[in-house]
Amino acid sequence: MNEKPVSLSVINRLPRYYRYLGILLASGTGRISSRELARQMRITASQIRQDLNCFGGFGQQGYGYNVEMLHREIGRILGAERMIPAILIGAGSLGRTLIREPDYFRHRGFDLLAVFDKSPSVIGSVLRNGMVVRPVGDLAAFCGERRPRMAVICIPRTEAAGLADTLVRDLGIDAFWNFSGFDFKCHYENVAVVNVHLGDSLLTLSYLANHRA
Amino acid sequence: MNEKPVSLSVINRLPRYYRYLGILLASGTGRISSRELARQMRITASQIRQDLNCFGGFGQQGYGYNVEMLHREIGRILGAERMIPAILIGAGSLGRTLIREPDYFRHRGFDLLAVFDKSPSVIGSVLRNGMVVRPVGDLAAFCGERRPRMAVICIPRTEAAGLADTLVRDLGIDAFWNFSGFDFKCHYENVAVVNVHLGDSLLTLSYLANHRA
C-alpha cells in the first residue's frame, strides 16, 4: 500500500469513516457497498472511493467493502493501535470529562499515563479513571522517566503559553490535543497539533440558525 | 451589504476571525493590516480579503481593518447578539462542562433557558450557573411555554435517536449543537446542526503524530 502525503481534508474525514464502520461492525454488518455507506454518511460514493484510493483502495469491484477489514485498515492508517504515551494537563471540568470514558484514549491511539494540575485544591484528588492528579511541578521528573509524546492541554490560553516552551523544548512533547486556544503551530515547528475550539462550533451554529434557507 | 449564500468553509472560518479579533480588541489593538492579521492566524492575507468580501468587505485600502468595527460586524453576521432561546439535554460531565463558564452561550448567540436530564439522581440538583436540572418529562410543558429553538444534545447516540422526533416534530426545536453522534441531518430537513465529535479530532491527532514529515 502506498502512503504518499495525503491532504488534510482527507485525513479529517478518516475518523468519520472509522466511526461509521465501527457502528456497522457492532451491528453485525459484514459487507457494505460504497453506495450504501455513502447514503448513511450523507456523502457521495465517489467521494468515498476517492478518499480510500489515497491509501490504495480497499473495495472489490461489485462486492462492496468488507466492513471488518476496512475498519481495521483505516484504524491502522489512523494509528489507532499505536498507543503513543500521553499526559493531560488541567484536571478541571473539561479535563475530567475527557478522561471519564474508560479506554477513550486507548481506542484512539494514545496511552494516557498521568494527569497534572497546578491547583493545590485539585492535586492529589483521585479521578474517575483511578489516576491521582499530580502537581505540574512533577512534570519534568515524570516526563524524564516515562517519555510521553502527546499532551492534552486543558488549561487557559495564557497558562498554556507559559508552559509551552517547557513542554516542547525541555520535555520533548511533540503532539498536542489542544483545548487552550494557544497557537502551538505559530511558535514551534514539527509539532502535531489538533486545536479544538468548541465555542467556534457554537458560533457556526448561530450563523446557520440565523441564515436558514 | 449583500448577503448571498456563503460557502460552509467560509462560515466555518468566521468564528476564528471573530476569536482573533476579540483577542486583539481585548489587547487594545485599534487597527490591523490584513497582512498582520494573516500572520497571526497563519493564513494568507488574500484568504482574509476573499473571505470578508463574501460579506461586502470591511477594509480600507492601505489603512487596514478597524478591529472593533470588524469584530462587531463579524459578530453581527454570526448572529452573536441575536440570543436564540436554547435548552441543554444531558446534565452529565460534558453538559456541566459546557455551562460552566458564565455567558458562554450568551456570547455566542444563545440564551440558555434550562437543563434537562432523565436520571433521578441528577434531576433537581443545582448547577454551577444556578439552574436546577429538570426532568426530561417536563420538556413538552417547558417548550410550549418558553419556545426554545436550539437544543444542546449531551446524551448518548441511542438516547438522542429516541428523543429526536419529539424535539423536532412536537417541540419545534430546529437547531442542534450535537455531541451525541446521532445524525439529525439524516432524518430531518430544515434543521441547523453542528455535530461535535471530539473523538474524531483525537484520531486525527493520532494520524498526524504517526505520519510526521
Side-chain angles (χ1 to χ4, degrees):
Chain A
M1 190 176 311
N2 59 333
E3 290 207 21
K4 60 185 172 192
V6 176
S7 82
L8 192 60
S9 52
V10 176
I11 294 164
N12 279 328
R13 283 193 291 270
L14 283 185
R16 188 157 183 261
Y17 288 118
Y18 189 63
R19 183 158 42 81
Y20 272 82
L21 289 164
I23 294 170
L24 288 167
L25 194 59
S27 75
T29 307
R31 196 164 275 283
I32 193 165
S33 66
S34 57
R35 182 180 299 225
E36 173 58 17
L37 182 58
R39 191 193 61 77
Q40 293 191 18
M41 294 184 66
R42 287 180 306 106
I43 55 178
T44 64
S46 81
Q47 170 89 83
I48 293 180
R49 286 190 295 263
Q50 203 175 308
D51 284 350
L52 298 185
N53 275 337
C54 295
F55 306 96
F58 305 98
Q60 292 166 278
Q61 202 75 37
Y63 290 88
Y65 296 110
N66 176 320
V67 171
E68 188 185 351
M69 191 274 268
L70 188 56
H71 181 260
R72 190 175 57 237
E73 284 301 311
I74 292 180
R76 195 190 59 74
I77 292 164
L78 287 167
E81 283 160 22
R82 289 280 186 89
M83 297 304 129
I84 292 173
I87 56 174
L88 185 148
I89 302 175
S93 183
L94 174 64
R96 284 162 194 255
T97 298
L98 296 177
I99 61 167
R100 208 153 178 271
E101 191 186 304
D103 294 329
Y104 188 85
F105 285 90
R106 295 196 70 80
H107 285 161
R108 292 167 178 89
F110 297 96
D111 181 17
L112 186 67
L113 303 177
V115 174
F116 295 85
D117 202 290
K118 68 164 193 179
S119 164
S121 67
V122 172
I123 292 164
S125 62
V126 182
L127 302 170
R128 270 182 78 101
N129 65 0
M131 285 179 183
V132 177
V133 180
R134 297 165 190 253
V136 163
D138 288 1
L139 262 175
F142 182 89
C143 293
E145 192 186 328
R146 303 289 302 277
R147 304 274 170 204
R149 276 187 53 209
M150 190 275 262
V152 187
I153 306 295
C154 298
I155 53 182
R157 188 170 58 90
T158 47
E159 284 181 33
L163 204 54
D165 259 9
T166 303
L167 293 173
V168 178
R169 303 224 159 99
D170 303 340
L171 307 180
I173 304 288
D174 65 359
F176 293 92
W177 197 27
N178 179 29
F179 292 79
S180 75
F182 173 74
D183 196 338
F184 286 91
K185 276 282 186 194
C186 220
H187 297 83
Y188 307 100
E189 306 218 335
N190 279 318
V191 286
V193 182
V194 169
N195 297 311
V196 183
H197 294 288
L198 290 177
D200 283 12
S201 77
L202 183 54
L203 271 171
T204 298
L205 180 61
S206 172
Y207 181 94
L208 296 174
N210 280 302
H211 295 75
R212 207 172 288 267
Chain B
M1 192 177 312
N2 60 333
E3 291 208 20
K4 60 185 173 193
V6 175
S7 82
L8 192 59
S9 52
V10 176
I11 294 163
N12 279 328
R13 283 194 291 270
L14 284 185
R16 188 157 182 262
Y17 288 118
Y18 189 63
R19 183 158 42 81
Y20 272 82
L21 289 164
I23 294 170
L24 288 167
L25 193 60
S27 76
T29 306
R31 196 165 275 283
I32 193 166
S33 65
S34 57
R35 181 181 300 225
E36 173 57 19
L37 182 58
R39 191 193 62 77
Q40 292 190 18
M41 295 184 67
R42 289 181 302 106
I43 56 178
T44 65
S46 81
Q47 170 88 83
I48 293 180
R49 285 190 296 263
Q50 203 175 308
D51 284 350
L52 298 185
N53 275 337
C54 295
F55 305 97
F58 304 99
Q60 291 166 277
Q61 203 75 36
Y63 291 88
Y65 296 110
N66 176 319
V67 171
E68 188 184 351
M69 190 272 269
L70 188 56
H71 181 261
R72 189 176 57 237
E73 283 301 311
I74 293 180
R76 196 191 58 76
I77 293 164
L78 286 167
E81 282 159 24
R82 288 282 187 87
M83 296 304 129
I84 293 173
I87 55 173
L88 185 148
I89 301 175
S93 183
L94 174 65
R96 283 162 193 254
T97 297
L98 296 177
I99 61 167
R100 209 152 178 273
E101 191 186 304
D103 295 328
Y104 188 86
F105 284 91
R106 294 197 71 80
H107 285 162
R108 292 167 177 89
F110 297 95
D111 181 18
L112 186 67
L113 303 177
V115 174
F116 295 84
D117 202 290
K118 68 164 193 177
S119 164
S121 67
V122 172
I123 292 164
S125 62
V126 182
L127 302 170
R128 269 183 78 102
N129 64 0
M131 286 180 182
V132 176
V133 179
R134 297 165 190 253
V136 163
D138 288 0
L139 263 175
F142 182 90
C143 293
E145 192 186 328
R146 303 289 302 276
R147 304 275 171 205
R149 277 186 53 210
M150 190 275 261
V152 187
I153 305 296
C154 299
I155 53 182
R157 187 169 59 90
T158 48
E159 284 181 33
L163 203 56
D165 259 8
T166 302
L167 293 173
V168 178
R169 302 223 160 100
D170 303 341
L171 307 181
I173 304 287
D174 65 359
F176 293 91
W177 197 26
N178 179 29
F179 291 79
S180 75
F182 173 74
D183 196 339
F184 286 91
K185 276 282 186 195
C186 220
H187 297 84
Y188 307 100
E189 306 216 336
N190 278 319
V191 286
V193 182
V194 169
N195 297 311
V196 183
H197 293 288
L198 289 177
D200 283 13
S201 77
L202 183 54
L203 271 170
T204 297
L205 181 61
S206 172
Y207 181 94
L208 296 175
N210 280 300
H211 295 76
R212 206 173 290 265

PDB file of all heavy atoms in Angstrom, chain A residues 128-153:
ATOM      1  N   ARG A 128     -11.916   9.669  38.127  1.00  0.00           N
ATOM      2  CA  ARG A 128     -12.772   8.510  37.834  1.00  0.00           C
ATOM      3  C   ARG A 128     -12.023   7.339  37.247  1.00  0.00           C
ATOM      4  O   ARG A 128     -12.438   6.193  37.361  1.00  0.00           O
ATOM      5  CB  ARG A 128     -13.872   8.928  36.854  1.00  0.00           C
ATOM      6  CG  ARG A 128     -15.122   9.438  37.539  1.00  0.00           C
ATOM      7  CD  ARG A 128     -16.160   9.781  36.501  1.00  0.00           C
ATOM      8  NE  ARG A 128     -16.823   8.598  36.005  1.00  0.00           N
ATOM      9  CZ  ARG A 128     -18.031   8.182  36.396  1.00  0.00           C
ATOM     10  NH1 ARG A 128     -18.686   8.879  37.279  1.00  0.00           N
ATOM     11  NH2 ARG A 128     -18.578   7.098  35.898  1.00  0.00           N
ATOM     12  N   ASN A 129     -10.927   7.616  36.557  1.00  0.00           N
ATOM     13  CA  ASN A 129     -10.159   6.520  35.957  1.00  0.00           C
ATOM     14  C   ASN A 129      -9.130   5.954  36.937  1.00  0.00           C
ATOM     15  O   ASN A 129      -8.295   5.130  36.557  1.00  0.00           O
ATOM     16  CB  ASN A 129      -9.482   6.982  34.650  1.00  0.00           C
ATOM     17  CG  ASN A 129      -8.430   8.055  34.897  1.00  0.00           C
ATOM     18  OD1 ASN A 129      -8.203   8.465  36.028  1.00  0.00           O
ATOM     19  ND2 ASN A 129      -7.797   8.500  33.834  1.00  0.00           N
ATOM     20  N   GLY A 130      -9.181   6.420  38.174  1.00  0.00           N
ATOM     21  CA  GLY A 130      -8.292   5.892  39.199  1.00  0.00           C
ATOM     22  C   GLY A 130      -6.978   6.647  39.323  1.00  0.00           C
ATOM     23  O   GLY A 130      -6.213   6.414  40.262  1.00  0.00           O
ATOM     24  N   MET A 131      -6.691   7.542  38.385  1.00  0.00           N
ATOM     25  CA  MET A 131      -5.444   8.300  38.462  1.00  0.00           C
ATOM     26  C   MET A 131      -5.525   9.366  39.539  1.00  0.00           C
ATOM     27  O   MET A 131      -6.587   9.910  39.821  1.00  0.00           O
ATOM     28  CB  MET A 131      -5.155   8.991  37.119  1.00  0.00           C
ATOM     29  CG  MET A 131      -4.666   8.044  36.048  1.00  0.00           C
ATOM     30  SD  MET A 131      -4.368   8.929  34.496  1.00  0.00           S
ATOM     31  CE  MET A 131      -3.896   7.534  33.456  1.00  0.00           C
ATOM     32  N   VAL A 132      -4.359   9.656  40.133  1.00  0.00           N
ATOM     33  CA  VAL A 132      -4.259  10.719  41.125  1.00  0.00           C
ATOM     34  C   VAL A 132      -3.663  11.949  40.431  1.00  0.00           C
ATOM     35  O   VAL A 132      -2.657  11.839  39.728  1.00  0.00           O
ATOM     36  CB  VAL A 132      -3.366  10.276  42.299  1.00  0.00           C
ATOM     37  CG1 VAL A 132      -3.192  11.419  43.296  1.00  0.00           C
ATOM     38  CG2 VAL A 132      -3.959   9.040  42.970  1.00  0.00           C
ATOM     39  N   VAL A 133      -4.294  13.102  40.590  1.00  0.00           N
ATOM     40  CA  VAL A 133      -3.808  14.324  39.948  1.00  0.00           C
ATOM     41  C   VAL A 133      -2.447  14.706  40.522  1.00  0.00           C
ATOM     42  O   VAL A 133      -2.288  14.831  41.739  1.00  0.00           O
ATOM     43  CB  VAL A 133      -4.807  15.485  40.150  1.00  0.00           C
ATOM     44  CG1 VAL A 133      -4.274  16.756  39.482  1.00  0.00           C
ATOM     45  CG2 VAL A 133      -6.169  15.118  39.588  1.00  0.00           C
ATOM     46  N   ARG A 134      -1.462  14.855  39.631  1.00  0.00           N
ATOM     47  CA  ARG A 134      -0.101  15.198  40.051  1.00  0.00           C
ATOM     48  C   ARG A 134       0.146  16.696  39.913  1.00  0.00           C
ATOM     49  O   ARG A 134      -0.457  17.358  39.068  1.00  0.00           O
ATOM     50  CB  ARG A 134       0.912  14.474  39.159  1.00  0.00           C
ATOM     51  CG  ARG A 134       0.848  12.961  39.264  1.00  0.00           C
ATOM     52  CD  ARG A 134       1.611  12.332  38.102  1.00  0.00           C
ATOM     53  NE  ARG A 134       1.385  10.909  38.032  1.00  0.00           N
ATOM     54  CZ  ARG A 134       2.287   9.991  38.379  1.00  0.00           C
ATOM     55  NH1 ARG A 134       3.486  10.352  38.783  1.00  0.00           N
ATOM     56  NH2 ARG A 134       1.996   8.698  38.293  1.00  0.00           N
ATOM     57  N   PRO A 135       1.085  17.223  40.698  1.00  0.00           N
ATOM     58  CA  PRO A 135       1.419  18.654  40.558  1.00  0.00           C
ATOM     59  C   PRO A 135       2.204  18.913  39.283  1.00  0.00           C
ATOM     60  O   PRO A 135       3.053  18.099  38.895  1.00  0.00           O
ATOM     61  CB  PRO A 135       2.283  18.936  41.791  1.00  0.00           C
ATOM     62  CG  PRO A 135       2.796  17.605  42.230  1.00  0.00           C
ATOM     63  CD  PRO A 135       1.814  16.558  41.779  1.00  0.00           C
ATOM     64  N   VAL A 136       1.944  20.046  38.646  1.00  0.00           N
ATOM     65  CA  VAL A 136       2.661  20.415  37.433  1.00  0.00           C
ATOM     66  C   VAL A 136       4.180  20.431  37.688  1.00  0.00           C
ATOM     67  O   VAL A 136       4.969  20.149  36.791  1.00  0.00           O
ATOM     68  CB  VAL A 136       2.165  21.787  36.912  1.00  0.00           C
ATOM     69  CG1 VAL A 136       3.152  22.400  35.928  1.00  0.00           C
ATOM     70  CG2 VAL A 136       0.810  21.628  36.223  1.00  0.00           C
ATOM     71  N   GLY A 137       4.569  20.735  38.915  1.00  0.00           N
ATOM     72  CA  GLY A 137       5.984  20.739  39.270  1.00  0.00           C
ATOM     73  C   GLY A 137       6.673  19.397  39.082  1.00  0.00           C
ATOM     74  O   GLY A 137       7.904  19.329  38.977  1.00  0.00           O
ATOM     75  N   ASP A 138       5.889  18.321  39.014  1.00  0.00           N
ATOM     76  CA  ASP A 138       6.470  16.988  38.814  1.00  0.00           C
ATOM     77  C   ASP A 138       6.611  16.616  37.345  1.00  0.00           C
ATOM     78  O   ASP A 138       7.068  15.507  37.015  1.00  0.00           O
ATOM     79  CB  ASP A 138       5.603  15.914  39.500  1.00  0.00           C
ATOM     80  CG  ASP A 138       5.723  15.975  41.016  1.00  0.00           C
ATOM     81  OD1 ASP A 138       6.452  16.855  41.515  1.00  0.00           O
ATOM     82  OD2 ASP A 138       5.069  15.155  41.689  1.00  0.00           O
ATOM     83  N   LEU A 139       6.217  17.529  36.441  1.00  0.00           N
ATOM     84  CA  LEU A 139       6.226  17.214  35.009  1.00  0.00           C
ATOM     85  C   LEU A 139       7.595  16.749  34.515  1.00  0.00           C
ATOM     86  O   LEU A 139       7.698  15.722  33.837  1.00  0.00           O
ATOM     87  CB  LEU A 139       5.808  18.451  34.197  1.00  0.00           C
ATOM     88  CG  LEU A 139       4.358  18.556  33.742  1.00  0.00           C
ATOM     89  CD1 LEU A 139       4.136  19.905  33.069  1.00  0.00           C
ATOM     90  CD2 LEU A 139       3.994  17.426  32.788  1.00  0.00           C
ATOM     91  N   ALA A 140       8.639  17.509  34.855  1.00  0.00           N
ATOM     92  CA  ALA A 140       9.971  17.210  34.317  1.00  0.00           C
ATOM     93  C   ALA A 140      10.433  15.821  34.739  1.00  0.00           C
ATOM     94  O   ALA A 140      10.876  15.021  33.905  1.00  0.00           O
ATOM     95  CB  ALA A 140      10.967  18.278  34.762  1.00  0.00           C
ATOM     96  N   ALA A 141      10.297  15.523  36.018  1.00  0.00           N
ATOM     97  CA  ALA A 141      10.736  14.213  36.512  1.00  0.00           C
ATOM     98  C   ALA A 141       9.929  13.095  35.853  1.00  0.00           C
ATOM     99  O   ALA A 141      10.474  12.097  35.378  1.00  0.00           O
ATOM    100  CB  ALA A 141      10.586  14.156  38.031  1.00  0.00           C
ATOM    101  N   PHE A 142       8.603  13.319  35.761  1.00  0.00           N
ATOM    102  CA  PHE A 142       7.737  12.301  35.170  1.00  0.00           C
ATOM    103  C   PHE A 142       8.083  12.064  33.699  1.00  0.00           C
ATOM    104  O   PHE A 142       8.214  10.920  33.243  1.00  0.00           O
ATOM    105  CB  PHE A 142       6.268  12.716  35.299  1.00  0.00           C
ATOM    106  CG  PHE A 142       5.318  11.687  34.763  1.00  0.00           C
ATOM    107  CD1 PHE A 142       4.831  10.678  35.575  1.00  0.00           C
ATOM    108  CD2 PHE A 142       4.929  11.698  33.421  1.00  0.00           C
ATOM    109  CE1 PHE A 142       3.972   9.706  35.069  1.00  0.00           C
ATOM    110  CE2 PHE A 142       4.074  10.730  32.909  1.00  0.00           C
ATOM    111  CZ  PHE A 142       3.591   9.736  33.739  1.00  0.00           C
ATOM    112  N   CYS A 143       8.230  13.146  32.957  1.00  0.00           N
ATOM    113  CA  CYS A 143       8.485  13.008  31.522  1.00  0.00           C
ATOM    114  C   CYS A 143       9.871  12.402  31.271  1.00  0.00           C
ATOM    115  O   CYS A 143      10.064  11.643  30.323  1.00  0.00           O
ATOM    116  CB  CYS A 143       8.363  14.362  30.821  1.00  0.00           C
ATOM    117  SG  CYS A 143       6.670  15.008  30.831  1.00  0.00           S
ATOM    118  N   GLY A 144      10.825  12.747  32.134  1.00  0.00           N
ATOM    119  CA  GLY A 144      12.155  12.165  32.000  1.00  0.00           C
ATOM    120  C   GLY A 144      12.114  10.650  32.122  1.00  0.00           C
ATOM    121  O   GLY A 144      12.832   9.936  31.419  1.00  0.00           O
ATOM    122  N   GLU A 145      11.211  10.182  32.967  1.00  0.00           N
ATOM    123  CA  GLU A 145      11.129   8.742  33.213  1.00  0.00           C
ATOM    124  C   GLU A 145      10.235   8.021  32.212  1.00  0.00           C
ATOM    125  O   GLU A 145      10.608   6.999  31.632  1.00  0.00           O
ATOM    126  CB  GLU A 145      10.600   8.533  34.640  1.00  0.00           C
ATOM    127  CG  GLU A 145      10.734   7.101  35.134  1.00  0.00           C
ATOM    128  CD  GLU A 145      10.062   6.919  36.499  1.00  0.00           C
ATOM    129  OE1 GLU A 145      10.058   7.904  37.286  1.00  0.00           O
ATOM    130  OE2 GLU A 145       9.526   5.834  36.753  1.00  0.00           O
ATOM    131  N   ARG A 146       9.043   8.589  31.951  1.00  0.00           N
ATOM    132  CA  ARG A 146       8.041   7.872  31.165  1.00  0.00           C
ATOM    133  C   ARG A 146       7.977   8.297  29.698  1.00  0.00           C
ATOM    134  O   ARG A 146       7.323   7.652  28.891  1.00  0.00           O
ATOM    135  CB  ARG A 146       6.650   8.029  31.815  1.00  0.00           C
ATOM    136  CG  ARG A 146       6.581   7.553  33.271  1.00  0.00           C
ATOM    137  CD  ARG A 146       6.670   6.042  33.410  1.00  0.00           C
ATOM    138  NE  ARG A 146       5.619   5.352  32.673  1.00  0.00           N
ATOM    139  CZ  ARG A 146       4.379   5.142  33.126  1.00  0.00           C
ATOM    140  NH1 ARG A 146       4.042   5.589  34.321  1.00  0.00           N
ATOM    141  NH2 ARG A 146       3.494   4.489  32.405  1.00  0.00           N
ATOM    142  N   ARG A 147       8.604   9.413  29.355  1.00  0.00           N
ATOM    143  CA  ARG A 147       8.718   9.859  27.960  1.00  0.00           C
ATOM    144  C   ARG A 147       7.392   9.977  27.205  1.00  0.00           C
ATOM    145  O   ARG A 147       7.247   9.395  26.112  1.00  0.00           O
ATOM    146  CB  ARG A 147       9.636   8.910  27.168  1.00  0.00           C
ATOM    147  CG  ARG A 147      11.016   8.749  27.751  1.00  0.00           C
ATOM    148  CD  ARG A 147      11.934   9.827  27.277  1.00  0.00           C
ATOM    149  NE  ARG A 147      13.210   9.826  28.016  1.00  0.00           N
ATOM    150  CZ  ARG A 147      13.978  10.884  28.145  1.00  0.00           C
ATOM    151  NH1 ARG A 147      13.630  12.029  27.604  1.00  0.00           N
ATOM    152  NH2 ARG A 147      15.100  10.809  28.829  1.00  0.00           N
ATOM    153  N   PRO A 148       6.399  10.678  27.747  1.00  0.00           N
ATOM    154  CA  PRO A 148       5.185  10.909  26.953  1.00  0.00           C
ATOM    155  C   PRO A 148       5.514  11.772  25.754  1.00  0.00           C
ATOM    156  O   PRO A 148       6.435  12.583  25.795  1.00  0.00           O
ATOM    157  CB  PRO A 148       4.273  11.661  27.919  1.00  0.00           C
ATOM    158  CG  PRO A 148       5.211  12.358  28.856  1.00  0.00           C
ATOM    159  CD  PRO A 148       6.383  11.429  29.010  1.00  0.00           C
ATOM    160  N   ARG A 149       4.769  11.589  24.672  1.00  0.00           N
ATOM    161  CA  ARG A 149       4.995  12.382  23.457  1.00  0.00           C
ATOM    162  C   ARG A 149       3.848  13.346  23.195  1.00  0.00           C
ATOM    163  O   ARG A 149       4.002  14.326  22.499  1.00  0.00           O
ATOM    164  CB  ARG A 149       5.155  11.451  22.256  1.00  0.00           C
ATOM    165  CG  ARG A 149       6.562  10.895  22.066  1.00  0.00           C
ATOM    166  CD  ARG A 149       6.610  10.140  20.744  1.00  0.00           C
ATOM    167  NE  ARG A 149       6.124  10.964  19.646  1.00  0.00           N
ATOM    168  CZ  ARG A 149       5.528  10.486  18.535  1.00  0.00           C
ATOM    169  NH1 ARG A 149       5.326   9.187  18.396  1.00  0.00           N
ATOM    170  NH2 ARG A 149       5.122  11.300  17.577  1.00  0.00           N
ATOM    171  N   MET A 150       2.671  13.032  23.708  1.00  0.00           N
ATOM    172  CA  MET A 150       1.499  13.878  23.445  1.00  0.00           C
ATOM    173  C   MET A 150       0.984  14.469  24.745  1.00  0.00           C
ATOM    174  O   MET A 150       1.033  13.818  25.792  1.00  0.00           O
ATOM    175  CB  MET A 150       0.401  13.038  22.759  1.00  0.00           C
ATOM    176  CG  MET A 150      -0.772  13.868  22.226  1.00  0.00           C
ATOM    177  SD  MET A 150      -2.067  14.229  23.453  1.00  0.00           S
ATOM    178  CE  MET A 150      -3.292  12.946  23.053  1.00  0.00           C
ATOM    179  N   ALA A 151       0.501  15.706  24.667  1.00  0.00           N
ATOM    180  CA  ALA A 151      -0.144  16.320  25.825  1.00  0.00           C
ATOM    181  C   ALA A 151      -1.522  16.856  25.438  1.00  0.00           C
ATOM    182  O   ALA A 151      -1.676  17.494  24.403  1.00  0.00           O
ATOM    183  CB  ALA A 151       0.707  17.452  26.395  1.00  0.00           C
ATOM    184  N   VAL A 152      -2.496  16.550  26.291  1.00  0.00           N
ATOM    185  CA  VAL A 152      -3.829  17.134  26.164  1.00  0.00           C
ATOM    186  C   VAL A 152      -3.811  18.413  26.999  1.00  0.00           C
ATOM    187  O   VAL A 152      -3.515  18.370  28.191  1.00  0.00           O
ATOM    188  CB  VAL A 152      -4.919  16.171  26.707  1.00  0.00           C
ATOM    189  CG1 VAL A 152      -6.298  16.721  26.406  1.00  0.00           C
ATOM    190  CG2 VAL A 152      -4.733  14.768  26.143  1.00  0.00           C
ATOM    191  N   ILE A 153      -4.092  19.536  26.354  1.00  0.00           N
ATOM    192  CA  ILE A 153      -3.949  20.832  27.025  1.00  0.00           C
ATOM    193  C   ILE A 153      -5.321  21.385  27.396  1.00  0.00           C
ATOM    194  O   ILE A 153      -6.060  21.886  26.540  1.00  0.00           O
ATOM    195  CB  ILE A 153      -3.192  21.831  26.126  1.00  0.00           C
ATOM    196  CG1 ILE A 153      -1.850  21.242  25.673  1.00  0.00           C
ATOM    197  CG2 ILE A 153      -2.990  23.161  26.847  1.00  0.00           C
ATOM    198  CD1 ILE A 153      -0.862  20.994  26.788  1.00  0.00           C
TER     199      ILE A 153
END
